[in-house]
DNA sequence: TTCCTTATCCGTGTTAATACCGATATAGAC
DNA sequence: GTCTATATCGGTATTAACACGGATAAGGAA
């Protein structure tokens, strides 16, 4: 059996180098590339055709979960494993929905990482019981929980979170204050909160701002 | 010259293992221990007497910066290097104040890490220009920047962030609505923000809620 | 003791946010 | 064609937030 080709995507160089150093010791694995963000990622994918991509979630400008959603349909022979410090159910749920084959916390050990890589490259999914539980805990909430905010709403949300008043935001966006109010009210409905304070808190916790 | 003895403290096992794998390739360095939090850290320190400790900042329950403050007076032959993903001036400032000899972002490369370790073990400080700039940018702000919130203020903050109105909070805490207002206003001053929306955002980002 | 800081508390106005009610136009899905 | 989601806009009334103005008690520092 030929080596499993791996591509590492993480914005922290030391983490990349560490992982590469770790995995290089294993004869069944081969690191074919690394990448610190979405820049050059698709070229690398096309060029190296890895079996497995280890992908961080939070990177500057981009979200690893979104990249997977985008990439997996175009590269059907490549499997994606999320490798992140975020142990939050919502991320696991989204990873599964977006087609990730595995989800590992950076607080895992070498053996588990290698096990995950081998299983995933063989076409099996790898979500250990801790991760599965996180996901289950969030599936119920997922139904009632927040719908997506529109682009315009995100724009307003961002300005609100910067402490701008409705009128300031209205002037900046060239709309009436009433429209800004409506956006804020609609966001509160979507996120199922009572007022702006709670809206900001929830948005912050969801990583929206 | 004997090897530089290194202790790695980070809550993410994969990161620890990666770093250890990286550094083990260098003949001048020797990993004498690793640790995922403050548990067992002092025993390890006493036992291994490392020349250099690589320390993460954000770990469960504890803050690496506080650990340094505590440990460096008791172990004068050990130097501490902060190794974190947080590229924020306030952390750098606190690291310096607490006696760290170096500050590296996880988004550094292997060469820089080894350079830093060697310099620090030789008694020199290592803060590259990027980190120094971050620190300088925050030295001025540091004075006025957020002071600690009192217990009562935290209590109010928490309720505000849950979407409670001033009156509800007042009733719950058995004080007048005006007092709750004052607490909120004082928090806004302390965190240097304009209104409640921004207060909640900043508090969320500071991990207060 | 005096000084200073901090946490706690309160009153009066003004301004902003929010709750109700409503509407039109557009685009995409079914 | 119908349904749904989105973005835009409006009135009126109530409530909350915010900007001023204060005070008192406790603790440490000079």
């Amino acid at each position: 059996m030929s080596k499993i080709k791996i591509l590492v995507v993480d914005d922290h160089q030391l983490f990349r180098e560490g992982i590469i150093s770790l995995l290089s010791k294993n004869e069944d694995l081969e690191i074919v590339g690394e990448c610190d963000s979405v820049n050059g990622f698709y070229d690398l994918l096309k060029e190296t055709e890895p079996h497995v991509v280890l992908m961080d979630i939070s990177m500057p400008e981009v979200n690893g979960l979104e990249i997977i959603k985008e990439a997996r349909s175009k590269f059907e022979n490549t499997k994606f494993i999320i490798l992140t410090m975020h142990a939050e159910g919502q991320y696991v749920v989204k990873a599964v929905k977006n087609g990730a084959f595995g989800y590992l916390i950076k607080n895992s050990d070498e053996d588990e990482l290698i096990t995950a890589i081998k299983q995933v490259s063989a076409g099996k999914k790898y979500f250990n019981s801790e991760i599965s539980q996180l996901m289950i805990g969030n599936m119920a909430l997922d139904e009632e929980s927040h719908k997506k905010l529109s682009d315009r709403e995100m724009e307003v949300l961002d300005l609100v979170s910067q402490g701008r008043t409705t009128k300031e935001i209205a002037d900046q966006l060239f709309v009436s204050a009433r429209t800004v109010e409506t956006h804020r009210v609609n966001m509160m409905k979507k996120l199922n909160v009572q007022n702006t304070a709670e809206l900001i808190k929830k948005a912050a916790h969801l990583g929206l701002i």
Side-chain angles (χ1 to χ4, degrees), chain A:
Chain A
M1 162 178 157
S2 61
K3 291 187 175 185
I4 299 171
K5 293 195 290 183
I6 299 169
L7 176 57
V8 181
V9 184
D10 193 300
D11 57 324
H12 294 111
Q13 186 166 350
L14 270 178
F15 185 77
R16 285 203 310 278
E17 290 180 352
I19 286 291
I20 291 169
S21 175
L22 258 186
L23 297 182
S24 296
K25 296 184 301 187
N26 192 304
E27 294 186 349
D28 299 332
L29 312 178
E30 180 188 4
I31 310 290
V32 295
E34 58 175 304
C35 190
D36 70 345
S37 179
V38 76
N39 301 322
F41 170 68
Y42 289 104
D43 290 339
L44 255 180
L45 254 189
K46 207 178 296 181
E47 189 184 310
T48 62
E49 291 184 347
H51 301 106
V52 175
V53 174
L54 299 179
M55 172 84 70
D56 194 12
I57 291 181
S58 49
M59 294 179 285
E61 308 286 326
V62 290
N63 183 314
L65 296 169
E66 298 299 331
I67 296 177
I68 290 181
K69 189 178 182 180
E70 187 77 16
R72 69 161 190 139
S73 55
K74 299 177 189 164
F75 299 88
E76 297 187 348
N77 294 323
T78 297
K79 307 287 191 297
F80 294 85
I81 296 177
I82 289 291
L83 183 51
T84 176
M85 53 177 292
H86 299 293
E88 288 168 45
Q90 62 196 41
Y91 285 125
V92 183
V93 171
K94 197 162 181 184
V96 174
K97 285 185 178 171
N98 287 8
F101 265 62
Y103 193 109
L104 285 176
I105 307 299
K106 285 185 178 175
N107 188 18
S108 305
D109 61 21
E110 187 179 350
D111 287 343
E112 184 168 21
L113 174 59
I114 290 172
T115 301
I117 289 173
K118 290 187 176 176
Q119 283 205 15
V120 167
S121 79
K124 295 182 208 160
K125 297 202 169 181
Y126 185 90
F127 295 81
N128 73 19
S129 63
E130 181 195 352
I131 297 300
S132 304
Q133 288 305 312
L134 278 177
M135 183 176 57
I136 290 164
N138 265 64
M139 292 295 277
L141 290 170
D142 194 50
E143 300 310 314
E144 62 172 6
S145 79
H146 67 100
K147 312 169 182 178
K148 275 186 192 167
L149 299 186
S150 69
D151 291 346
R152 194 59 157 178
E153 285 169 343
M154 284 295 295
E155 205 169 352
V156 172
L157 175 64
D158 191 51
L159 291 166
V160 171
S161 79
Q162 288 171 27
R164 310 295 180 78
T165 66
T166 297
K167 188 168 185 326
E168 287 171 350
I169 297 170
D171 289 346
Q172 183 167 340
L173 300 183
F174 301 106
V175 297
S176 81
R178 194 59 189 74
T179 299
V180 176
E181 280 291 338
T182 304
H183 285 312
R184 210 182 36 211
V185 170
N186 289 339
M187 284 189 278
M188 292 193 285
K189 285 177 185 165
K190 283 184 179 178
L191 298 197
N192 196 30
V193 297
Q194 295 308 310
N195 58 25
T196 301
E198 205 184 347
L199 171 67
I200 299 297
K201 179 195 178 190
K202 192 148 193 173
H205 283 176
L206 291 173
L208 268 33
I209 51 177

